[in-house]
Amino acid sequence: MRIYLPGKVSRRLIFQFLLAALIPMSGMAWYVYHQVSTMLLDSAYDQLRADCKSFGMSLIETLEVRANELKQLARDGSDHVPTAKPGFNAISVQTNRKLSAAQRAQIDRGMTMLLLTAGRPVELFARSAASGDVLAGQVDVATLWTNDSAPERYCILDASFAPLYCTSGQFPLDRRFLYETLGDRNGATVRWSPAGEDLLVALWRPKFLPTFDSPGFVVMQVTPRADALLKLQDFRYLFPFIFLLALSVAAGLAIGQIRRQMKPLDLLTKVTSRLAAGDLTARVDLEGNDEFTELAQTFNDMAVNLQYRFHMLALLSELDHDIINGSRIEHVANEVLGSIRKAIPCDGAGLLVRGGGDGYHLLTSAPDEMVPCSRTATAKLDLNTLRLKQPVSVLEPHVLPSEFLGRLSDGTPPRCLFAFPIITDDRLQQVLVVAFAQPPQSADNIIQGGRSLADRLGIALSNLAREGKLYHQAHHDSLTDLPNRVLLHDRCEQAIIRARHNQTAAALILIDLDNFKQVNDTLGHASGDQLLSRFAARLKLHLRQGDTLARLGGDEFVILLQDLARGEEYEILDPLLRELSIALSAPITVNEHQINTPASMGVALYPENAEHFGTLLQMADAAMYKSKREHPGGFHFYSSDLNRQSKARFDLTQELRDAVKRDELILYYQPKVDARSRQIVGAEALVRWNSPARGLVPPATFVHLLDEMGLGVWLGEWVLDRVCAQMRVWQDDALISIPVSINMSPAQVEHTPVVERIKASLERYQLDASRLEIEILEATAVNDSREVRETLLALGAEGIRVALDDFGTGYSSLVYLTRIPAHVLKLDQAFIQGLPADPRQQEIVKHIIALAKSLSYSVVAEGVEEEAQLSLLVALGCDHIQGYLIGRPVPPEEFADRWLRQAAPGPAGLLEARACQRPANEPPSAVALSGT
Ligand code: C2E
Ligand code: MG
Ligand code: MG
């Protein structure tokens, strides 16, 4: 048997046990040892004494035999006394022997007398009754003092302890010691060590020998002590072995017992270690009904509890992770129902979810089912009747429909239900139901765990609601509630995937309201918003099921059409687009205003034009712009030609951005002269892009792009600064001072503090306000916005003249001229080009000039290239001329050399130039068409 002492406790127990056993055992052993030793010693002494006595008695018997033989001889008469007899050395008649009176009396009484004296023969005396003679027998000591029962070593001593006879070897007899040892007793035993020999001596004497009237003798028996104590010796040798054997047996029993007791403890320790190492399935398997079994049972209960707790924590952490990651509620519910049996000691669970109407679904999952929540049951249920309470309600099973009860547990119907209501936004949303085949013994952990799970589900539900709201906000336009660009992108990509799979086509129609900006500007943003909403509603009317209408922002809408038959896209789309065109051109009523906002549309197709949303949208945009340019209110399908234009436009935009950074823009100046005298009266600053790659790029190519890039205002301010700086240089060089006009974009006039900026520049370069003239497009000027009007008035008030550029191209009513606070009217070159050949054109120009003059405008004719044109314009009363006939736009140095040097057109030109300036703050006055 292997000695199994695994732990410190075992060793300590063994040690204590042995100590407890050793002390009494040792005491007992010592006591036994002592007692047995004493007993054995006493017994050895007693034995020796008995032997000695027995031997002495045998001697007395021999003496009596001899005495009787002598007495017999005495009776026989002295005549027949033999001289020798066995046992006697000699027998004689003692006639002359002197005896004491006592001896004589003894003999006379018929008794035998014995003489025992050391150094003399042993003699017996008896009196013959017949003769009265005294018969003396000398006893043969060889037969007297020895017999069969004689010990090995002994001495016969006389009464004075003198030796009568001794066995071989001499004893250095200490008579005094012997005398004192025996005293007046008749027997004694003593330890004696003469000459280093360890001996035991037994002494014995007959108390009195009345037959012999003799003081008697002393038998001294000697034996080596070791021989006498042989048993004691054996005992002493044997005893330790016996003691050790007893001790070993005791220890063995103790170890066996302790081992038996410690084994469950060891098992418990091992299982606890496994539990501590995370093996939650570790259990102690012990049989019996002792405390260890109870401990094992308690431990197993604890392990089961821990296992549930651990699974609960793991589940909660998993749910938290899901919630943080924004997992769907279905996923969270799956997780709860799939793992709840591991986290709560229940027999089943389900989630009551509101279905349609007053029906409820019960989502459940069987244990270890791979697809949780795969099992659902539906039944009518009024949750109000359950009167659910927070944190939990304990329900009788019958309150739930039988369809649900069957699902809630496998086999045995539940006898107890715990219902955890899930309430968000003060509404009972769902109920987590936990089923038990038997009412649970301890409900605390179950309630705590179930509540935590229900709370997680509640959070997931709230998140879902919040996310839904956020999702809607992030994917819909706040004004029209239509899908926004993000959602459109998503739907378009999905439509493309489906179209690819189904071999169908999809179309993106970009719709942009024409003139929406004017509505915003004239009627205000609120009206603009209303218009957009109604426009969206109108668009919706023409959508099929499955089509998407989105608002990209501003006045841009997109329709996504999917599942179009491939090859028939144009046949399907053309009638729809025509229908839309007509529908959208009908006026919309906003705040009692009838507004005409036709919309231009551009269409791009998948897969014909592109395969991705971004490209499709760009193409639809390009097509829409083409439509806007070429026939506003109509529609246009994207073509690859448009694609090239877009690409070129894109490249130009990129280059232009770099050009601005690299300061590649420059200003050219074109003279304006008096129509009659041809003296210089001013100049127009015109921007150029001095591109290293493209050469000198005209403004028509890039100014509108700068506007689109949001750099229109920057350009205006840059020109203002450059022009003022140039005038300062010219003035410092004492050149002829002329007013210079600069072109301002509509955005700059409408949205920036133009007046302040101009004043600041004039002040910075120390220039008079009359040196600047601002050209704005007719379309900007006729815009009825308050800001524009106030700006123009303020410019006039500051002495800065305002010219209506490209007049006649804006299709605006001439009536506007009466309202606009401007000073100069620049007739667009389109009117001049037909002159003088086109009489109708002549008529128009004549009337415009006449009207302008009547309204005190100064009139400038642009694009005059021929003498005939000039002559006619002079005849029609035009004040000033600008055109290639007079001079092309040139760099400032060239312009100065040619027009501003004193030597050039002469002082008359200068005077004329000054004379033709009407102070801006003066109302326009009639400019006389004076002859040359
Ligand atoms: P605009 O303000 O009407 O300028 C007059 C345009 O007519 C100039 O073209 C000029 O070169 C051109 N021109 C003048 N005389 C004749 C002629 O006899 N025949 C022909 N065919 N053309 C003539 P340019 O310089 O190409 O400018 C075009 C337009 O670009 C300008 O029209 C103006 O609207 C715009 N622009 C030019 N510079 C600026 C600027 O600094 N800012 C802004 N916002 N626009 C500018
Ligand atoms: Mg101009
Ligand atoms: Mg012009």
Side-chain angles (χ1 to χ4, degrees):
M1 186 183 73
R2 188 168 68 94
I3 294 182
Y4 181 69
L5 291 172
K8 286 180 188 167
V9 176
S10 319
R11 286 195 284 274
R12 194 164 58 233
L13 276 176
I14 288 288
F15 176 73
Q16 287 171 352
F17 184 88
L18 286 181
L19 203 65
L22 202 60
I23 292 170
M25 272 181 76
S26 302
M28 181 65 82
W30 178 84
Y31 178 74
V32 168
Y33 178 83
H34 184 260
Q35 287 298 316
V36 172
S37 296
T38 309
M39 207 177 74
L40 287 175
L41 195 63
D42 288 351
S43 138
Y45 276 36
D46 288 349
Q47 185 63 46
L48 195 60
R49 222 170 17 243
D51 289 352
C52 189
K53 180 181 176 182
S54 150
F55 178 55
M57 294 297 282
S58 71
L59 292 181
I60 288 172
E61 272 176 31
T62 310
L63 270 175
E64 281 182 346
V65 168
R66 294 289 176 272
N68 286 337
E69 285 174 353
L70 194 66
K71 275 202 274 184
Q72 188 62 44
L73 287 176
R75 268 193 302 271
D76 291 347
S78 52
D79 299 341
H80 298 92
V81 174
T83 51
K85 187 172 170 53
F88 290 94
N89 288 336
I91 299 169
S92 61
V93 180
Q94 298 283 319
T95 48
N96 301 324
R97 187 77 173 249
K98 288 186 177 170
L99 297 169
S100 68
Q103 287 172 336
R104 178 61 65 179
Q106 170 81 0
I107 294 169
D108 286 347
R109 278 198 305 273
M111 307 292 275
T112 315
M113 194 193 72
L114 175 67
L115 280 181
L116 286 172
T117 310
R120 296 185 60 183
V122 177
E123 284 179 307
L124 282 170
F125 297 90
R127 192 171 74 90
S128 166
S131 62
D133 292 339
V134 175
L135 213 61
Q138 193 179 338
V139 184
D140 179 7
V141 290
T143 58
L144 175 64
W145 299 127
T146 59
N147 60 32
D148 291 344
S149 61
E152 202 175 325
R153 289 172 76 186
Y154 62 93
C155 276
I156 308 296
L157 309 172
D158 67 7
S160 64
F161 294 90
L164 293 170
Y165 173 82
C166 279
T167 53
S168 60
Q170 287 293 317
F171 299 110
L173 290 175
D174 184 343
R175 290 168 64 190
R176 186 176 182 80
F177 167 72
L178 295 174
Y179 172 76
E180 284 174 359
T181 299
L182 190 58
D184 50 0
R185 292 175 294 174
N186 61 335
T189 315
V190 70
R191 189 175 178 180
W192 187 36
S193 304
E197 217 182 347
D198 195 9
L199 301 171
L200 276 186
V201 175
L203 296 170
W204 182 83
R205 72 177 161 204
K207 197 72 179 166
F208 179 58
L209 289 175
T211 21
F212 299 109
D213 186 28
S214 165
F217 57 90
V218 175
V219 181
M220 182 180 101
Q221 184 176 340
V222 177
T223 181
R225 191 166 180 267
D227 292 352
L229 299 182
L230 212 55
K231 283 185 183 169
L232 182 62
Q233 207 68 34
D234 288 348
F235 169 72
R236 282 181 178 164
Y237 280 126
L238 218 55
F239 188 79
F241 288 108
I242 293 169
F243 177 73
L244 283 177
L245 185 66
L247 200 64
S248 305
V249 170
L253 286 172
I255 288 169
Q257 190 61 21
I258 287 170
R259 185 170 159 265
R260 233 190 340 273
Q261 297 300 320
M262 296 309 284
K263 204 171 173 182
L265 196 61
D266 180 44
L267 194 61
L268 271 165
T269 311
K270 278 186 183 151
V271 175
T272 311
S273 305
R274 275 175 57 201
L275 192 72
D279 179 5
L280 295 174
T281 57
R283 300 285 183 275
V284 190
D285 189 13
L286 274 186
E287 284 180 3
N289 57 354
D290 58 5
E291 286 83 351
F292 278 118
T293 323
E294 275 176 32
L295 182 61
Q297 189 51 49
T298 314
F299 177 89
N300 287 346
D301 292 348
M302 183 192 77
V304 169
N305 259 337
L306 270 180
Q307 196 172 6
Y308 279 118
R309 286 274 180 118
F310 180 83
H311 282 303
M312 175 59 79
L313 287 177
L315 178 58
L316 291 179
S317 129
E318 188 65 31
L319 294 178
D320 288 343
H321 185 257
D322 288 345
I323 288 168
I324 289 167
N325 286 341
S327 294
R328 291 155 54 87
I329 177 70
E330 291 86 350
H331 179 77
V332 178
N334 277 351
E335 200 115 42
V336 170
L337 295 179
S339 308
I340 195 166
R341 282 182 180 83
K342 287 185 193 159
I344 290 178
C346 63
D347 299 291
L351 193 64
L352 279 175
V353 182
R354 197 185 298 272
D358 52 356
Y360 266 82
H361 299 308
L362 181 77
L363 305 183
T364 53
S365 76
D368 305 326
E369 207 161 87
M370 290 305 289
V371 189
C373 294
S374 58
R375 310 186 315 160
T376 57
T378 309
K380 281 192 175 178
L381 179 65
D382 183 3
L383 280 188
N384 291 329
T385 58
L386 302 183
R387 296 216 174 82
L388 297 175
K389 285 181 296 197
Q390 290 275 33
V392 66
S393 291
V394 180
L395 303 179
E396 292 293 326
H398 63 78
V399 300
L400 288 188
S402 56
E403 296 95 314
F404 288 176
L405 290 180
R407 295 277 184 195
L408 268 174
S409 67
D410 298 310
T412 26
R415 288 180 56 193
C416 175
L417 300 174
F418 279 32
F420 299 93
I422 300 166
I423 296 170
T424 59
D425 293 334
D426 293 333
R427 274 193 63 202
L428 177 62
Q429 305 280 4
Q430 299 180 354
V431 183
L432 175 66
V433 183
V434 184
F436 300 89
Q438 296 296 333
Q441 285 180 347
S442 161
D444 289 354
N445 285 346
I446 293 170
I447 293 174
Q448 200 184 347
R451 194 60 253 164
S452 301
L453 293 177
D455 288 345
R456 297 305 194 280
L457 284 166
I459 294 170
L461 273 175
S462 309
N463 283 356
L464 180 75
R466 199 170 40 248
E467 270 171 26
K469 211 165 154 187
L470 285 176
Y471 179 87
H472 191 87
Q473 282 172 0
H475 291 82
H476 290 81
D477 166 49
S478 56
L479 175 67
T480 58
D481 205 33
L482 289 176
N484 62 11
R485 178 189 288 265
V486 181
L487 187 53
L488 175 72
H489 184 167
D490 197 41
R491 292 204 182 157
C492 185
E493 292 294 351
Q494 284 177 23
I496 287 171
I497 292 169
R498 201 166 46 246
R500 189 176 299 138
H501 182 259
N502 297 339
Q503 291 295 304
T504 54
L508 218 53
I509 307 174
L510 184 74
I511 305 159
D512 188 287
L513 269 74
D514 301 330
N515 308 329
F516 173 68
K517 193 174 170 313
Q518 279 184 14
V519 177
N520 241 354
D521 289 344
T522 50
L523 299 179
H525 288 276
S527 298
D529 286 352
Q530 272 192 40
L531 174 71
L532 288 175
S533 298
R534 294 199 181 145
F535 184 79
R538 183 175 282 181
L539 274 175
K540 273 187 203 168
L541 297 176
H542 298 272
L543 295 187
R544 304 172 310 167
Q545 181 97 23
D547 295 343
T548 299
L549 172 64
R551 181 180 170 217
L552 293 188
D555 55 353
E556 280 186 337
F557 293 83
V558 172
I559 297 175
L560 167 68
L561 301 169
Q562 42 192 333
D563 298 327
L564 306 174
R566 269 196 202 176
E568 295 172 21
E569 299 95 323
Y570 291 93
E571 285 76 5
I572 300 168
L573 288 171
D574 192 72
L576 173 71
L577 289 163
R578 284 179 198 286
E579 178 190 314
L580 272 177
S581 234
I582 296 164
L584 299 181
S585 62
I588 294 176
T589 312
V590 171
N591 292 340
E592 295 168 359
H593 291 277
Q594 293 269 319
I595 302 174
N596 269 319
T597 53
S600 302
M601 293 178 278
V603 189
L605 298 170
Y606 167 85
E608 189 181 311
N609 301 140
E611 301 212 330
H612 294 289
F613 167 73
T615 340
L616 280 172
L617 193 65
Q618 266 180 16
M619 291 172 167
D621 190 59
M624 185 275 292
Y625 267 107
K626 190 170 168 64
S627 165
K628 218 183 231 321
R629 268 199 310 275
E630 292 176 3
H631 35 91
F635 61 90
H636 208 285
F637 282 92
Y638 177 81
S639 71
S640 55
D641 180 38
L642 269 176
N643 197 14
R644 270 198 300 281
Q645 287 175 21
S646 308
K647 175 78 172 65
R649 203 169 113 118
F650 176 77
D651 293 344
L652 192 67
T653 310
Q654 296 303 104
E655 281 181 51
L656 197 55
R657 213 179 290 280
D658 294 341
V660 169
K661 281 187 207 147
R662 289 198 293 259
D663 204 17
E664 286 174 7
L665 299 187
I666 54 171
L667 283 177
Y668 271 33
Y669 292 84
Q670 187 180 26
K672 273 190 288 180
V673 297
D674 181 83
R676 292 167 191 277
S677 66
R678 303 195 185 188
Q679 295 297 311
I680 186 146
V681 292
E684 179 173 9
L686 296 159
V687 70
R688 301 283 181 271
W689 172 16
N690 189 14
S691 163
R694 298 171 182 262
L696 202 62
V697 184
T701 315
F702 65 89
V703 167
H704 66 284
L705 277 182
L706 283 175
D707 278 337
E708 283 172 24
M709 288 158 65
L711 292 173
V713 172
W714 170 84
L715 175 70
E717 291 180 356
W718 179 81
V719 172
L720 172 68
D721 183 77
R722 293 295 80 219
V723 166
C724 288
Q726 189 61 65
M727 287 198 289
R728 182 74 256 156
V729 171
W730 287 335
Q731 192 162 322
D732 290 348
D733 289 351
L735 301 183
I736 296 171
S737 294
I738 49 160
V740 177
S741 23
I742 58 177
N743 296 281
M744 281 208 170
S745 70
Q748 195 175 2
V749 178
E750 283 175 53
H751 304 303
T752 63
V754 181
V755 187
E756 280 70 29
R757 299 267 158 84
I758 292 174
K759 275 167 69 184
S761 285
L762 290 173
E763 206 171 301
R764 185 172 166 208
Y765 294 102
Q766 303 270 298
L767 295 169
D768 193 78
S770 61
R771 297 293 301 279
L772 264 188
E773 188 173 280
I774 304 302
E775 294 189 10
I776 57 170
L777 291 174
E778 176 204 351
T780 314
V782 298
N783 179 339
D784 238 359
S785 95
R786 197 165 47 84
E787 288 87 354
V788 174
R789 196 178 155 71
E790 280 174 3
T791 303
L792 298 186
L793 280 172
L795 285 171
E798 289 296 330
I800 299 160
R801 290 156 60 87
V802 176
L804 299 179
D805 205 354
D806 297 350
F807 190 85
T809 56
Y811 309 106
S812 50
S813 160
L814 289 176
V815 179
Y816 278 114
L817 280 180
T818 58
R819 299 198 208 145
I820 300 169
H823 311 91
V824 180
L825 189 150
K826 291 188 84 175
L827 258 179
D828 191 76
Q829 50 182 286
F831 291 105
I832 311 303
Q833 274 162 11
L835 297 182
D838 187 343
R840 289 182 64 189
Q841 201 79 293
Q842 239 184 72
E843 270 308 291
I844 294 170
V845 171
K846 183 177 145 191
H847 280 103
I848 293 177
I849 293 174
L851 180 69
K853 309 267 351 155
S854 71
L855 293 171
S856 304
Y857 279 93
S858 163
V859 180
V860 180
E862 287 187 295
V864 180
E865 294 180 352
E866 296 166 15
E867 281 293 343
Q869 291 170 337
L870 174 60
S871 307
L872 181 64
L873 286 165
V874 169
L876 294 176
C878 178
D879 302 308
H880 303 132
I881 302 296
Q882 185 179 344
Y884 294 169
L885 178 68
I886 305 300
R888 286 175 179 263
V890 290
E893 302 76 26
E894 196 182 329
F895 182 81
D897 286 344
R898 189 146 167 228
W899 295 100
L900 302 181
R901 303 271 171 222
Q902 298 294 339
L910 177 62
L911 287 172
E912 185 112 7
R914 284 178 184 153
C916 93
Q917 300 298 310
R918 171 170 63 85
N921 47 9
E922 278 177 21
S925 59
V927 177
L929 285 172
S930 53
T932 50

